Amino acid sequence: MFCNETPTNETHDKAHIFTLLCKVDFNLKSTIYRKIQIRNIPPHLQWEVLDGLLAQYGTVENVEQVNTDTETAVVNVTYSTKEEAKEAIEKLSEHQFEDYCFKVSYIMDLDAAPAAQTPRSRRGGRSSRDQGTPQPGPSGCYGGLRSRPQDFPLRMLVPTQFVGAIIGKEGLTIKNVTKQTQSKVDIHRKENAGAAEKPISIHSTPEGCSAACRMILEIMHKEANETKTTEDIPLKILAHNCLVGRLIGKEGRNLKKIEEDTGTRITISSFLDITICNQERTIVVKGSLDNCCRAEKEVTKKLREAYENDVAANNQHPHLMPGMNLNTLGFLSGMPMLPAATGPRGVPHMPTAGYNPFFVSIHIPQQAPEQEVVYLFIPTQAVGALIGKKGQHIKQLAHIAAASIKIAPAEGPDMPTRKVIITGTAEAQFKAQGQIYRKLKEDNFFSPKEEVKLETHIKVPSSAAGRVIGKGGKTVTELQNLTSAEVIVPRDQTPDENDEVFVKISGHFFASQTAQRKIREIVQQVRQQEQKHQSGGTVSPHHAK
């Protein structure tokens, strides 16, 4: 009978193909509904506000900006599960910000789709067909070599009236610039219709970027002379806010030195101008053409050093703890990625795989959130910056982190540090402390190449202090080796009214966070053992204190 016939190779092949198609279909269905698109985002909306809003509905795996010709912003958001994405769609579709009503819909998560996509050379990298091939920008770009992911572009802002002269008839002028300087030049002339200025992105070696910048300035000066333009033409450089603090230097020393060495006058736009659609600040350089070009080299050098230091820091601490993405916690909201190579002025630059100087994740136990108190010590001179004008910055920080943040009174007139008391869940602690570390680095309270290291105190039950130390100090030594933080449990402490003592932790953000989590794990183990003992359970010798 037919059912007893031996299956042919063709039958096997068909069955195999059917199985593969079913798997692909299942995988596609599981990924389609995790990614949503949010449109009609007001251009003045602070990124911290949107970031906190997205995190309310689940774990955000990725946020990416979509270039549009509209005044409002558009972002694509990928959640870890389709249930989270569904809740976000339901809630955000009803969300209204001032006169703007969000428009939200599902979109295909192509990056997560298996098999059908072009294989990537490495995670987060470009496909092979993209490498080394000139590609046009969204708003008109010209030039030769495609920039590598780690290239540091020079971004300029030029008056719209000079864009035509820079491009030249049939694009001959800009083609000459790219050919002579071996650069790729993106002129974002279609973005922000009617704007008085347009951004230009230059991709090349540092020497190539500077050469292209000089040629563009020369073109503008020539056009100004021919059109009898009387206004001065300063050099305007765009720089991401996360890099500007290190350009300025402590007490403005770096900027003053550049001004003195190059004979120029340099000003920088206000931090308050930053919105979700503009994460860049404008560096205005005034002086002769030659002096402006000299200043450009020095300014870009400082910005590039800050960028490379952040990339190096990220490579040293890529994944300390699994489970929670910083992107969802707001820690990156003030330290987002370097502006995208073709990202225009006025469009949000969301974190991507290219540059993520503070990416790390952390595991938070899946249980009812417990309120934790952490005492973080910051430099006394940083208190004003952390509080902000009329307390606005610290209020915003507390809102983002969903934590209580208070600065304790000074314990003496000459104390080098001030105590910041943070109360909140483990997640809130992570967000709040991360934002404070970021603020200190941004505002240059530490030197550009120096990692921000702070002292943190947390309280533990006196019964757990011995476990933190371990026999002969073994546990605390292992803890220090694991986290790279300094952990001290002072032996002469008198427990407070709650029978608790302090553990002191010193180190950079990643080290401190790891140490805090590990110590709290030990405390939790001790509490569980005590509860077992009180309920008549036995404690294994391995876990006995």
Side-chain angles (χ1 to χ4, degrees), residues 149-220:
Q150 292 302 324
D151 281 350
F152 185 84
L154 167 62
R155 283 175 54 79
M156 302 173 59
L157 203 57
V158 303
T160 301
Q161 68 199 68
F162 295 130
V163 169
I166 294 170
I167 294 173
K169 189 176 182 180
E170 297 180 352
L172 292 177
T173 304
I174 197 65
K175 286 179 182 177
N176 182 49
V177 172
T178 60
K179 183 178 180 180
Q180 289 194 34
T181 63
Q182 290 295 297
S183 303
K184 175 178 177 287
V185 182
D186 295 337
I187 302 178
H188 309 290
R189 66 189 191 281
K190 293 182 181 179
E191 305 298 335
N192 297 342
E197 295 174 307
K198 301 290 184 180
I200 295 178
S201 300
I202 305 171
H203 309 271
S204 185
T205 62
E207 295 76 18
C209 287
S210 295
C213 175
R214 172 179 278 275
M215 291 187 71
I216 290 171
L217 284 175
E218 288 173 347
I219 292 167
M220 290 195 294

Side-chain angles (χ1 to χ4, degrees), residues 36-41 47 50 54 63-66 73-77 103 107 276 348 350:
I36 66 174
Q37 184 172 90
I38 307 172
R39 303 179 302 283
N40 205 39
I41 302 172
W47 164 243
L50 179 62
L54 298 177
V63 181
E64 57 185 335
Q65 157 261 325
V66 179
V74 179
V75 298
N76 294 340
V77 184
K103 298 178 181 178
I107 58 173
I276 184 174
M350 299 304 179

Side-chain angles (χ1 to χ4, degrees), residues 270-524:
S270 172
F271 172 80
L272 300 176
D273 295 337
I274 295 173
T275 67
I276 184 174
C277 287
N278 175 21
Q279 293 286 316
E280 295 176 301
R281 292 167 72 178
T282 305
I283 303 163
V284 182
V285 184
K286 294 183 178 180
S288 67
L289 190 147
D290 286 340
N291 287 348
C292 284
C293 290
R294 290 169 58 203
E296 178 276 319
K297 292 179 181 178
E298 296 301 319
V299 167
T300 307
K301 180 182 176 182
K302 288 290 183 185
L303 295 173
R304 188 180 292 108
E305 285 176 355
Y307 163 75
E308 290 173 349
N309 288 337
D310 287 345
V311 171
N314 176 49
N315 292 337
Q316 290 173 3
H317 311 284
H319 302 289
L320 285 182
M321 294 171 280
M324 184 177 291
N325 192 328
L326 268 175
N327 220 13
T328 68
L329 301 185
F331 182 46
L332 287 180
S333 60
M335 285 290 292
M337 306 308 96
L338 188 71
T342 55
R345 176 89 165 168
V347 175
H349 299 293
M350 299 304 179
T352 65
Y355 170 48
N356 198 328
F358 286 99
F359 177 80
V360 70
S361 49
I362 183 171
H363 173 69
I364 303 297
Q366 298 299 311
Q367 58 186 21
E370 179 184 350
Q371 293 291 306
E372 301 174 352
V373 180
V374 172
Y375 305 90
L376 188 65
F377 292 82
I378 66 171
T380 299
Q381 64 267 30
V383 170
L386 182 61
I387 294 174
K389 190 175 182 180
K390 296 182 179 179
Q392 287 302 310
H393 186 269
I394 198 167
K395 287 178 184 176
Q396 185 184 39
L397 196 158
H399 175 72
I400 293 168
S404 166
I405 304 173
K406 297 179 180 179
I407 298 178
E411 296 179 2
D414 300 319
M415 295 296 291
T417 60
R418 285 280 292 277
K419 182 165 62 179
V420 180
I421 306 169
I422 307 171
T423 307
T425 63
E427 181 177 327
Q429 290 290 347
F430 189 72
K431 294 166 72 172
Q433 292 177 53
Q435 290 281 2
I436 292 172
Y437 272 82
R438 175 190 63 79
K439 179 66 174 174
L440 296 181
K441 184 166 187 175
E442 259 187 17
D443 287 8
N444 213 55
F445 289 105
F446 291 77
S447 65
K449 294 185 179 181
E450 182 183 2
E451 202 155 20
V452 179
K453 292 186 178 181
L454 301 177
E455 182 174 314
T456 304
H457 293 181
I458 63 175
K459 285 185 175 182
V460 303
S462 59
S463 58
R467 281 288 300 276
V468 174
I469 297 171
K471 190 175 181 179
K474 182 180 179 182
T475 303
V476 76
T477 300
E478 289 177 349
L479 193 59
Q480 291 182 129
N481 291 337
L482 171 68
T483 65
S484 299
E486 182 182 4
V487 181
I488 300 174
V489 186
R491 293 184 177 274
D492 299 330
Q493 292 187 80
T494 301
D496 63 13
E497 65 278 6
N498 297 318
D499 197 29
E500 292 180 324
V501 295
F502 280 110
V503 176
K504 299 180 180 180
I505 303 165
S506 298
H508 56 72
F509 175 75
F510 306 102
S512 181
Q513 287 300 309
T514 313
Q516 289 177 46
R517 292 301 119 210
K518 291 295 181 183
I519 291 170
R520 294 193 187 279
E521 284 178 12
I522 294 173
V523 170
Q524 188 62 26

Side-chain angles (χ1 to χ4, degrees), residues 29-276:
K29 284 181 179 179
S30 67
T31 58
I32 287 172
Y33 301 110
R34 295 192 305 113
K35 192 169 186 177
I36 66 174
Q37 184 172 90
I38 307 172
R39 303 179 302 283
N40 205 39
I41 302 172
H44 56 280
L45 178 64
Q46 292 289 331
W47 164 243
E48 287 88 348
V49 177
L50 179 62
D51 191 32
L53 191 62
L54 298 177
Q56 291 179 17
Y57 310 113
T59 301
V60 178
E61 291 187 350
N62 187 46
V63 181
E64 57 185 335
Q65 157 261 325
V66 179
N67 289 342
T68 67
D69 292 328
T70 62
E71 288 296 323
T72 56
V74 179
V75 298
N76 294 340
V77 184
T78 305
Y79 282 92
S80 62
T81 67
K82 60 183 181 182
E83 290 77 17
E84 293 172 347
K86 181 182 178 182
E87 183 182 3
I89 283 225
E90 292 172 352
K91 298 293 176 63
L92 289 173
S93 295
E94 305 167 359
H95 188 82
Q96 186 163 347
F97 186 87
E98 296 179 357
D99 296 329
Y100 296 82
C101 187
F102 288 171
K103 298 178 181 178
V104 193
S105 61
Y106 285 111
I107 58 173
M108 173 75 81
D109 189 359
L110 294 176
D111 291 335
Q117 66 179 6
T118 305
R120 295 177 179 267
S121 57
R122 56 188 172 83
R123 186 177 180 183
R126 291 190 175 94
S127 60
S128 57
R129 64 184 173 83
D130 287 338
Q131 294 176 0
T133 306
Q135 299 287 339
S139 312
C141 63
Y142 309 81
L145 301 177
R146 185 178 179 87
S147 62
R148 297 176 183 176
Q150 292 302 324
D151 281 350
F152 185 84
L154 167 62
R155 283 175 54 79
M156 302 173 59
L157 203 57
V158 303
T160 301
Q161 68 199 68
F162 295 130
V163 169
I166 294 170
I167 294 173
K169 189 176 182 180
E170 297 180 352
L172 292 177
T173 304
I174 197 65
K175 286 179 182 177
N176 182 49
V177 172
T178 60
K179 183 178 180 180
Q180 289 194 34
T181 63
Q182 290 295 297
S183 303
K184 175 178 177 287
V185 182
D186 295 337
I187 302 178
H188 309 290
R189 66 189 191 281
K190 293 182 181 179
E191 305 298 335
N192 297 342
E197 295 174 307
K198 301 290 184 180
I200 295 178
S201 300
I202 305 171
H203 309 271
S204 185
T205 62
E207 295 76 18
C209 287
S210 295
C213 175
R214 172 179 278 275
M215 291 187 71
I216 290 171
L217 284 175
E218 288 173 347
I219 292 167
M220 290 195 294
H221 277 265
K222 181 181 178 182
E223 180 70 9
N225 289 333
E226 291 178 355
T227 57
K228 309 297 183 184
T229 301
T230 57
E231 295 180 4
D232 291 335
I233 305 174
L235 166 63
K236 294 188 176 182
I237 301 172
L238 296 174
H240 202 281
N241 178 62
C242 66
L243 308 176
V244 170
R246 284 165 283 177
L247 165 66
I248 296 172
K250 196 168 186 178
E251 298 178 355
R253 291 171 190 167
N254 291 345
L255 214 54
K256 289 176 184 176
K257 187 175 189 307
I258 294 175
E259 288 179 321
E260 292 170 358
D261 291 346
T262 61
T264 56
R265 172 65 179 160
I266 303 175
T267 56
I268 300 177
S269 62
S270 172
F271 172 80
L272 300 176
D273 295 337
I274 295 173
T275 67
I276 184 174

